[in-house]
Amino acid sequence: MTASRCPVHERFDLLAPDFLADPYAVLASLPLDEAPLFYAPSIGYYVLTRHADIEQVFRDPATFSAAVAQAPLVPLVPEAAEILLAGGHRPQPSMVSLDEPAHARLRKPAARAFSVTRIHAMIPAIEATTARLLDAVAGQDEFDLVAALAFPLPANIVFSLMGVPDSDFAQLKRWCGSRAALGWGRPAPGDQVEIATSMAAYRRYLRDLVERKAGQPGDDLTSALLAIYREDPDRLTREEISSILFSLSFAGHETTTGLIGNTVRRLLEEPGRWARVAARPDLIPAAVEETLRYDPSVPVWRRVTTRPVTIGGVDLPEGAKLFLWLAAGGRDGAVFPEPDRFDLDRANSGQHLAFGLGLHYCLGANLGRLETRLALEELARRYPRLRLAGDQEFAFHPNISFRGPQVLRVRAGEAP
Ligand code: HEM
């Protein structure tokens, strides 16, 4: 195919209320057969919707840099920018937006924490936390599943993995609350200052945690990373350890909250689906994978070109910012037949791109899947007749990359 100029969609805006409410309706309205890759002036990004194009980008890190992965969509007011810099939060604040070789310096030691053995060892803690959280709502006919389980479960697991004392969990959750708005939303100037202040306080907390663990090691990830530092301080500095902790706590939190919320929502949307999964819990992994394809909790990720390149038949200049619409890739009919149908029996759901691909492939993919599976198993065991509470419109946090219902009211249903 001859390379061509890029189509432009003037009105495409991912933070518009109709998009936040139902991005799949907007996706369906786009002329993707003629223009699967287009430019969106509202955000200054090229939007990629085809599975094959997104895969090509992920697999070529030399041409497609990760530098913009966490870049704010709006310029920050000087006060917020200064607070962030003073707090040690740089424009590429953690491994997910670093290219080689800086990325590998952080990824290699962090990956040790995610060995199959270590993840497996977390099962009892995940089960115990799930049971404790569900005990707290036992007997209630109606409750918010996000507040009860989907939000606190991943937060508690990732904080305890890091070695944060239980007594600090509530404070950390408050600091982390609106982080998504900074790199992925359009926060108002006043909000930017507030978020930047929380972010700087959180970074300070993590540096102090590293210092404390240096004096008093425990059986946790921070102490394991400090052991690498003690072996060879040039290989991993203390500042880098706190940067890894920042990555993990951020990446391992809202992402999984969203995945649990989206999976439960999609299963309850159609009563037969929940009943089927409750009767056959061995279908839960398939349900999680199909949700990652059909309604992923990280619907969008970003890259920037390092040289002029042609992709999907379109010429892109050097410095072109790319918006990889992972959720659209999951609905690509060239890979997934009848893509708009949620199908528990789909053979190739796992081909979704919801965890990225290549050098930056999600480090916590197995942990996120495990937490979601165990949460669903216990929920289905306790509530085989769970259903959505009536009359609810789902609300979503206004950002481009983290998606899950903020509130999911469910009804316990009568006992079986
Ligand atoms: C369960 C839902 C999750 C989803 C949908 C998700 C999605 C993603 C995506 C799309 C990326 C970027 C991949 C790329 O650039 O190629 C990523 C990176 C990452 N994720 Fe996840 N994630 C999830 C859970 C987790 C958890 C539980 C953790 C850790 C506790 C985690 C840690 C990370 C880290 C550290 C990176 C950066 C890896 C790197 O730059 O090398 N994620 N994730």
Side-chain angles (χ1 to χ4, degrees), residues 11-178:
R11 290 203 311 276
F12 183 79
D13 181 2
L14 293 114
L15 294 169
D18 65 330
F19 190 96
L20 288 170
D22 190 356
Y24 300 103
V26 177
L27 178 68
S29 73
L30 294 170
L32 296 186
D33 287 344
E34 296 117 63
L37 192 164
F38 57 90
Y39 184 70
S42 70
I43 43 173
Y45 274 75
Y46 293 85
V47 180
L48 278 67
T49 62
R50 268 205 309 228
H51 191 283
D53 293 344
I54 299 172
E55 189 172 340
Q56 181 187 335
V57 170
F58 275 135
R59 289 201 189 278
D60 183 357
T63 308
F64 303 100
S65 158
V68 292
Q70 291 159 291
L73 292 174
V74 287
L76 296 183
V77 294
E79 196 186 341
E82 276 161 31
I83 296 170
L84 285 174
L85 267 181
H89 189 85
R90 284 181 281 277
Q92 264 100 46
S94 63
M95 77 174 90
V96 80
S97 49
L98 291 172
D99 293 321
E100 301 314 313
H103 166 254
R105 255 185 85 85
L106 299 181
R107 167 117 186 171
K108 277 193 188 143
R112 284 199 195 178
F114 289 92
S115 66
V116 176
T117 328
R118 267 193 184 254
I119 300 294
H120 193 76
M122 290 165 75
I123 291 177
I126 301 171
E127 284 177 341
T129 309
T130 304
R132 181 171 53 74
L133 292 168
L134 287 178
D135 284 349
V137 290
Q140 291 181 24
D141 180 47
E142 186 175 317
F143 59 93
D144 171 13
L145 187 89
V146 176
L149 182 67
F151 180 77
L153 176 66
N156 287 11
I157 295 303
V158 83
F159 295 151
S160 52
L161 174 77
M162 289 157 57
V164 172
D166 294 9
S167 51
D168 292 349
F169 284 9
Q171 172 64 69
L172 262 62
K173 279 180 204 157
R174 278 196 295 278
W175 280 329
C176 297
S178 48

Side-chain angles (χ1 to χ4, degrees), residues 58 95-96 103 107 114 158 247-248 251-252 255-256 259 292 297-298 301 303 326 354-357 359-365 367-369 371:
F58 275 135
M95 77 174 90
V96 80
H103 166 254
R107 167 117 186 171
F114 289 92
V158 83
S247 288
L248 296 184
T255 52
T256 313
L259 180 56
L292 284 161
S297 56
V298 180
W301 211 245
R303 291 290 190 263
L326 310 179
F355 292 118
L357 213 59
L359 289 179
H360 288 273
Y361 179 77
C362 176
L363 210 47
L367 175 59
R369 283 182 169 118
E371 289 177 271

Side-chain angles (χ1 to χ4, degrees), residues 27 37 76 128 220 251 269 275 403 414:
L27 178 68
L37 192 164
L76 296 183
D220 51 58
E269 227 164 38
R403 182 177 170 84
E414 71 279 24

